[in-house]
Each structure stands twice: as structure tokens, then as C-alpha cells.
Amino acid sequence: MQYELIIIGGGPAGVSAGVYAARKKLKTLFLTTDFQSQSTVSEDIQNWIGTISISGSKFAKDMEAHLRAYAGDSVTIKTGVRAEKVEKIEGGFSLNLKGGEMFTSKTILIATGSTRRKLEVKGADTFEHKGLTYCATCDGPLYGGADVAVIGGGNAAFETAAQLSAYCKSVTILNRNKDFRADPVTVEKVLAKENISSIAPVEFVEVTGEKFVNGITYKNEAGETTTLPVTGIFVEIGLIPSTSFLKGVVEMTQSGQVIVDSRTQQTKTPGIWAAGDCTDGLYHQNNISSGDAVKALEDIYVNLHTK
């Protein structure tokens, strides 16, 4: 059996696409390992539009329930699976799963997301979600009036620092390298804010705390060890897109993000679209991922049924 559409991924992008595919009565196969997106680990999501506050675990459960409520006869949901290889065939694509199963479809939507690059230092695992976080948009407002640190030297780190400066007492940017990767104009503008400072280069030693974070210890360029007292640590050292199974099939950036047309979410490979954190979009948030997927589904439907 050949499907009209295969959706790969169970986060906000994948689920949004699945709901729209069901409503458009597209014969769809929905494949995901699980419905655990990056936000699942957040204790309190406050920026999912239409929902004032929701835990990450409930967010994931609600996503799955919404898709299953609409799936009907149109969307076949298969969980606990992982994509291994996509190949171009006559009339569409074949998709091989790890374990040997193979499916074919006229079109594919990639919504596999990405994972945050972790801070690998003593105490980081212990205090993750106990003061150490990887999402300022999700968790930043919880640190109003606090002293916090941002780890990283790229645009994302500086944009996070600027965002946090609106409600935190102080924000210190810590970077492993002496030079920042962020655009010079961004560095200058962000560091001009009164409550933002930077320390670089540093060698991270340990995240400290009791029940929650109370500091981060580092060595400076002279080898001197210092503990910066903070109650929040925001890590912005990059994303790892979950796209390795697409090598040679779609065009990707050096870091593995799928390159798309922002108007339609189409890749440069006809018949394949991508949405959410696995793409080269400038910004990555739940609401953006959902919107990307809706945009893609509109375009997929047009390509399947009106062109």
C-alpha cells in the first residue's frame, strides 16, 4: 500500500501536521518513537498560545490525545519506531525503519526535531531542571529578580541574555572561547545593557547547589578558580538535528538542519517537506514548529490534489 503522506516525528510539528492531515482526509502514516518533545522536561510551559500554564508531561499527553482524537480512518499512528533510510522511488519515496519494516508514500514530511547539546560538566546532570535549563523562553520568567548565567557565545546565547535581562537582576554570559561567535553588532548591543556582563574564556569545573543550583564554578584564563553565585543557568551551546537518516536525500546545512523554503516548508527535493526544529528556520519554538507544519500541510495538499 502506498500512502499519500508519511509524517515522521511526534513533537508539536509532527502532531500539528497529523491533525491537519486527518482533517484533510489524506491517507497518512504517522511514525514516531514517542511524543516526548524537548518541552516534555519543562515543569511549566507558559508560552503555548491558548494555554496559560501547562507542564511538559501534560503537554505531551495532550498532543498525543489531540492527534488520536482526529486520526480516524485517515491517519495510521505507529509509535516506538525510528526512521533509518529514505530513498526516492518511482511515484514517491520508500522509508525503511530500524528493524526492517518498509513503507512507501507519495510525499514525506520530516518533523523529527532536534536535541539540545548538553553541558558536560560535573553537576550538570544533577541540577538539570533544578536551576539548569536549556530553554529561556520556557523557563526564563521563573527567574524574575534572580542572578543568572548564560553559557554560550553564539547569537542564541546573546539573544537569551537579552531576553533574561528584562526580568532578571543580573545576567552573566560565560563562554569557553575568548572570541564570541555571535554577530559583532549583537554582542555590542547586548553587552551595553546595564545588567548584562560577560566572562571569557573560561573552563567550566562544576555546577554547584543543594536542592537547586546556587552557582557555577570555572577557571579563568589565568587558571584561577571562581564560583559565580547564580540560581539559574541557561545553556545555549547548540542543537543537534535528528536528521542523519536523510543524508544524500535532501539538502542540509553543515550542522544537519534541513534546508527549506520558508514560504512552503518544501525542501529542494520535490515531494519532501520539513517543519520545526530539524529545519534551518531562524527561530525554533513550539508555536513556530506548529505553524511550520500547518504551512507544510497546506502546501502538501495543494501539490497532491490541485497540481
Side-chain angles (χ1 to χ4, degrees):
M1 171 185 176
Q2 185 182 51
Y3 290 91
E4 290 184 279
L5 169 65
I6 292 178
I7 297 170
I8 310 172
V15 170
S16 298
V19 170
Y20 267 69
R23 294 175 64 85
K24 292 179 179 296
K25 301 296 183 183
L26 293 177
K27 197 63 179 175
T28 302
L29 177 62
F30 185 98
L31 302 171
T32 186
T33 304
D34 51 44
F35 289 88
Q36 308 295 302
S37 67
Q38 285 187 48
S39 294
T40 305
V41 298
S42 180
E43 294 182 2
D44 187 14
I45 300 170
Q46 299 178 349
N47 63 327
W48 180 243
I49 303 304
T51 302
I52 296 170
S53 175
I54 186 171
S55 69
S57 59
K58 188 174 189 305
F59 177 72
K61 289 176 182 176
D62 286 357
M63 281 275 165
E64 181 177 0
H66 194 167
L67 175 61
R68 292 192 183 280
Y70 279 90
D73 296 329
S74 298
V75 178
T76 300
I77 302 169
K78 192 173 181 63
T79 61
V81 298
R82 192 177 296 274
E84 185 172 66
K85 188 176 183 181
V86 173
E87 289 185 307
K88 177 69 178 173
I89 60 173
E90 186 176 352
F93 302 89
S94 66
L95 170 63
N96 288 81
L97 302 181
K98 291 186 177 179
E101 286 187 280
M102 189 271 284
F103 302 94
T104 63
S105 177
K106 294 178 181 178
T107 62
I108 293 179
L109 173 64
I110 309 299
T112 46
S114 62
T115 57
R116 295 276 182 175
R117 196 177 298 278
K118 298 288 186 176
L119 177 65
E120 296 181 358
V121 66
K122 183 180 178 181
D125 287 344
T126 302
F127 293 103
E128 189 168 331
H129 316 306
K130 297 177 182 178
L132 187 147
T133 178
Y134 292 84
C135 184
T137 302
C138 301
D139 301 329
L142 303 175
Y143 293 84
D147 296 307
V148 302
V150 174
I151 295 178
N155 284 327
F158 277 82
E159 290 161 6
T160 289
Q163 177 183 337
L164 292 170
S165 71
Y167 30 77
C168 292
K169 181 181 177 182
S170 72
V171 182
T172 305
I173 300 171
L174 301 172
N175 190 37
R176 292 182 187 274
N177 301 313
K178 186 173 184 179
D179 296 324
F180 297 116
R181 290 180 292 104
D183 300 330
V185 64
T186 299
V187 173
E188 182 179 359
K189 189 169 184 177
V190 171
L191 291 182
K193 295 181 181 290
E194 291 184 0
N195 62 339
I196 298 180
S197 60
S198 67
I199 304 173
V202 300
E203 177 186 344
F204 297 109
V205 176
E206 183 179 5
V207 175
T208 62
E210 295 179 4
K211 289 184 178 180
F212 297 93
V213 165
N214 62 22
I216 183 163
T217 302
Y218 63 88
K219 289 182 181 180
N220 63 17
E221 196 169 14
E224 301 167 330
T225 300
T226 302
T227 297
L228 178 70
V230 293
T231 55
I233 298 172
F234 295 82
V235 182
E236 287 288 356
I237 54 177
L239 295 169
I240 304 173
S242 303
T243 57
S244 58
F245 66 98
L246 292 169
K247 288 180 180 178
V249 180
V250 298
E251 186 174 355
M252 295 188 282
T253 66
Q254 188 173 1
S255 64
Q257 293 176 317
V258 179
I259 297 172
V260 297
D261 178 345
S262 61
R263 294 174 65 250
T264 62
Q265 301 301 127
Q266 284 196 57
T267 71
K268 293 186 178 181
T269 301
I272 299 181
W273 286 252
D277 288 8
C278 66
T279 73
D280 66 335
L282 184 57
Y283 302 108
H284 296 115
Q285 294 293 329
N286 288 331
N287 292 294
I288 294 172
S289 294
S290 179
D292 283 353
V294 172
K295 192 192 309 180
L297 254 292
E298 295 291 352
D299 200 56
I300 289 168
Y301 187 86
V302 167
N303 275 267
L304 283 172
H305 291 285
T306 67
K307 287 186 178 180

